[in-house]
Amino acid sequence: MAEKQQILQDIEPLTFVGIDPKKPLVIAGPCSAESEEQVLNTARGLAKSGIKIFRAGIWKPRTKPGGFEGVGMKGLLWMQEVKKETGMLTATEVANREHVIAALDSGIDILWIGARTSANPFAMQEIADALRGHRGVTVLVKNPVNPDIELWIGAMLRLYNAGVRRIGAIHRGFSTYGDHLYRNEPQWHIPIELHRRVPNLPIICDPSHMGGKRELIGPISQQALDMGFNGLIIESHCNPDAALSDAKQQVTPESLNLIINTLVIRDTKQSTENLTLLRQHIDECDNDLLNILSRRMAISREIGQYKKEHNMQVVQAQRYSEMISDRSKQGQEMGMSAEFIETVMQAVHEESVRQQIEIINQKAL
Ligand code: PEP
Ligand code: MN
């Protein structure tokens, strides 16, 4: 059988003149361009901290009408000013054909596609069509708001099929219902799977939108770098408390400088002998785990048989909540978080129910 061809195979590395390709790429700037003064003050502070790529949203996709929806075209002139005065490259969000044309015409270097847009194939196709023939433009695609890796890859494929080759992904987390620690859940396994499927695709982390709070920017950034992400895009504003959008997650250029300077960039060339050994241990543990799970499922099937013979309901709510709460207490005593154990036990229980239902539905031979 012919080997499956890797998708997005010949995308180009995201290198920029004057930016060290061996260091993580850092993009910073306000959520939104608000005024010429705010844009330039922020840019000056960032340039002083050594930031080489300036971001600012000109057109803002807001959840509800009535919010600040961006300054529009005039913001592009301020971005030109940033470039002229500081020499930084500029990046902005585009969501339709008109935005693409205006951004390219005014010399924006990097376009990014927001999470609400990458979730929309019609908008993605319109943007891809507008970019046809602009092979050299850099486009960063945020993950869609919902955790759908195919939709994320699909958005990038539309650009690729239109001839764009400088493509990168931005992981900004996924929407969930209710209040959580993170504004958008990281679900790190999704970018990991993206990296497995498209190893040459640069992936940048957006700790600002993921965490939604200033104090999470540092820890999330460190985690992303430890996981081998290729860069960070961080929101920074000269007066964060007065920001017209995403005030809680923006930091001053000075704070950003501090955060970046405390990040540890791991050496990928270190001896990996001990790591190999530890990974072998992990493989053994996983093997044990799978064996135990399979034994547990065999018992579930026996229980299914019993319930079938006695015409009993598969799920007994009382037993279920007792099990989850007991295990989560036990797990906490063993040094794991209650949330983690609940997630694991819910998944195990779900599979167990599925197995029991399979037995119950089996016709007698
Ligand atoms: C942004 O980067 O300001 C933005 C709107 O982000 P997202 O699309 O990730 O919500
Ligand atoms: Mn924002």
Side-chain angles (χ1 to χ4, degrees), residues 123-188:
M124 278 315 304
Q125 194 54 52
E126 180 181 320
I127 292 168
D129 290 339
L131 284 168
R132 208 173 286 279
H134 293 274
R135 188 190 161 101
V137 67
T138 303
V139 189
L140 305 176
V141 182
K142 290 203 176 196
N143 62 261
V145 278
N146 51 322
D148 185 339
I149 193 171
E150 305 303 336
L151 199 55
W152 195 2
I153 291 175
M156 292 186 273
L157 277 175
R158 286 178 198 277
L159 298 172
Y160 185 84
N161 291 345
V164 181
R165 287 295 176 271
R166 287 173 60 90
I167 300 176
I170 299 177
H171 176 224
R172 49 78 83 192
F174 302 92
S175 285
T176 41
Y177 181 71
D179 284 337
H180 297 270
L181 170 64
Y182 297 99
R183 178 177 176 196
N184 291 292
E185 286 297 317
Q187 304 218 27
W188 295 104

Side-chain angles (χ1 to χ4, degrees), residues 173-281:
F174 302 92
S175 285
T176 41
Y177 181 71
D179 284 337
H180 297 270
L181 170 64
Y182 297 99
R183 178 177 176 196
N184 291 292
E185 286 297 317
Q187 304 218 27
W188 295 104
H189 60 280
I190 297 181
I192 290 172
E193 172 61 11
L194 181 63
H195 178 63
R196 195 188 64 78
R197 289 214 227 163
V198 197
N200 51 334
L201 175 73
I203 311 183
I204 290 169
C205 180
D206 176 345
S208 310
H209 291 90
M210 190 179 285
K213 323 175 176 62
R214 289 169 198 158
E215 59 275 23
L216 287 180
I217 294 175
I220 296 175
S221 300
Q222 186 63 62
Q223 187 164 355
L225 294 186
D226 291 348
M227 292 171 82
F229 276 62
N230 305 92
L232 301 165
I233 176 164
I234 305 180
E235 287 190 338
S236 174
H237 190 294
C238 55
N239 183 4
D241 289 331
L244 298 181
S245 59
D246 290 348
K248 288 202 196 92
Q249 67 192 37
Q250 303 206 57
V251 288
T252 59
E254 294 72 32
S255 310
L256 182 77
N257 194 22
L258 252 168
I259 294 173
I260 290 182
N261 283 330
T262 48
L263 292 176
V264 182
I265 300 172
R266 315 272 176 210
D267 181 1
T268 48
K269 288 188 239 33
Q270 267 174 23
S271 153
T272 54
E273 214 172 297
N274 283 344
L275 191 61
T276 310
L277 260 174
L278 288 169
R279 284 186 174 149
Q280 274 167 8
H281 287 320

Side-chain angles (χ1 to χ4, degrees), residues 31 55 60-61 93 112 114-116 142 172 206 209 235:
C31 177
R55 64 149 280 160
K60 299 304 297 178
E93 173 172 348
W112 85 78
R116 292 152 195 83
K142 290 203 176 196
R172 49 78 83 192
D206 176 345
H209 291 90
E235 287 190 338

Side-chain angles (χ1 to χ4, degrees), residues 78 172 185 247 300 309 344:
W78 308 337
R172 49 78 83 192
E185 286 297 317
S300 287
E309 283 163 16
V344 170

